[in-house]
């Protein structure tokens, strides 16, 4: 048995279940400096976390998000650097197994440090090993924006925010700017 309003209700409940935007911690929140623990098992809870993190990242909008940024201190990252926003990558328990000696300076920003962009030097290419949402191990060779993004997000899992690579003077300025911004909201 079904009628239109019940169907609409069911549809809205499904939407609610799929969509869950998580709140993103803002620098200099101390919780951004917690070190994430490895995920013991890739189960429905982790798949739900990945889905919610993806929705949160796309809505922000951003190209990468680490679980640390949504106050979940487990080794989970989502990234989508595609122009079409339909190439979601989930990295569970990621490790960098190789990085190039060549390094490159590029501009970075962070959903936890809104409005701040600055240059950071990182390995130009990296190879990452991680588990996917099915719990299967995969390896991925990353370069360009993807290489920058994975290194940036893995720093988050270690409790580091990209502004820590900047000069102490810049960090102080950014902290005070962020505190003013938080106060204004
Ligand atoms: Ni970030």
């Amino acid at each position: 048995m079904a009628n239109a309003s019940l169907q609409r209700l069911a549809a809205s409940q499904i939407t609610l279940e799929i969509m869950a935007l998580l709140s993103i911690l803002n620098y200099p929140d101390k919780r951004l400096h917690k070190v994430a623990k490895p995920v013991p098992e890739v189960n429905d809870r982790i798949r739900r976390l990945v889905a919610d993190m993806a929705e949160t990242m796309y809505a922000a909008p951003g190209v990468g998000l680490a679980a640390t940024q949504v106050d979940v201190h487990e080794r989970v990252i989502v990234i989508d650097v595609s122009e079409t926003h339909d190439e979601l990558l989930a990295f569970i328990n990621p490790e960098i197994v190789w990085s190039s000696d060549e390094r490159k300076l590029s501009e970075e920003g962070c959903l936890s440090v809104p409005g701040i962009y600055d240059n950071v030097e990182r390995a130009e290419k990296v190879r990452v090993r991680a588990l996917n949402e099915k719990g299967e191990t995969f390896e991925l060779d990353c370069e360009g924006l993807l290489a920058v993004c994975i290194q940036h997000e893995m720093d988050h899992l270690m409790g580091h925010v990209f502004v820590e690579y900047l000069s102490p003077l810049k960090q102080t300025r950014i902290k005070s700017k962020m505190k003013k911004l938080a106060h204004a909201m």
Side-chain angles (χ1 to χ4, degrees), residues 64 69 109-112 152-153 156 162:
Q69 293 176 274
C110 179
L111 294 176
S112 293
H152 174 118
E153 303 309 333
H156 276 301
F162 86 103

Side-chain angles (χ1 to χ4, degrees), residues 16-26 47-72 76-80 85 88 110-112 153:
L16 279 176
E17 202 167 82
I18 294 167
M19 293 277 294
L21 294 183
L22 307 168
S23 55
I24 298 175
L25 299 176
N26 274 332
R47 282 184 278 274
R48 176 66 196 258
L49 173 64
V50 166
D52 290 347
M53 283 173 60
E55 293 294 349
T56 305
M57 174 185 74
Y58 287 124
V63 294
L65 188 69
T68 307
Q69 293 176 274
V70 294
D71 202 20
V72 175
V76 178
I77 289 169
V78 293
I79 291 178
D80 188 342
H85 311 296
L88 180 69
C110 179
L111 294 176
S112 293
E153 303 309 333

Side-chain angles (χ1 to χ4, degrees), residues 26-35 68-69 103 108-110 112-113 116-122 151-175 178:
N26 274 332
Y27 183 80
D29 193 305
K30 286 189 173 64
R31 291 169 287 180
L32 285 169
H33 302 302
K34 285 191 184 179
V35 176
T68 307
Q69 293 176 274
R103 296 176 68 81
E108 296 184 22
C110 179
S112 293
V113 200
I116 304 293
Y117 299 88
D118 215 320
N119 288 322
V120 175
E121 190 192 282
R122 299 193 186 268
Q151 291 175 84
H152 174 118
E153 303 309 333
M154 287 187 66
D155 274 355
H156 276 301
L157 299 181
M158 295 307 292
H160 298 303
V161 180
F162 86 103
V163 297
E164 291 168 40
Y165 292 106
L166 308 178
S167 71
L169 178 64
K170 277 188 178 174
Q171 290 183 49
T172 305
R173 282 183 185 158
I174 291 166
K175 269 181 197 159
M178 289 299 125

Side-chain angles (χ1 to χ4, degrees), residues 139-153:
E139 282 193 11
L140 190 65
D141 286 316
C142 308
E143 57 180 26
L145 179 56
L146 181 57
V148 172
C149 195
I150 189 82
Q151 291 175 84
H152 174 118
E153 303 309 333

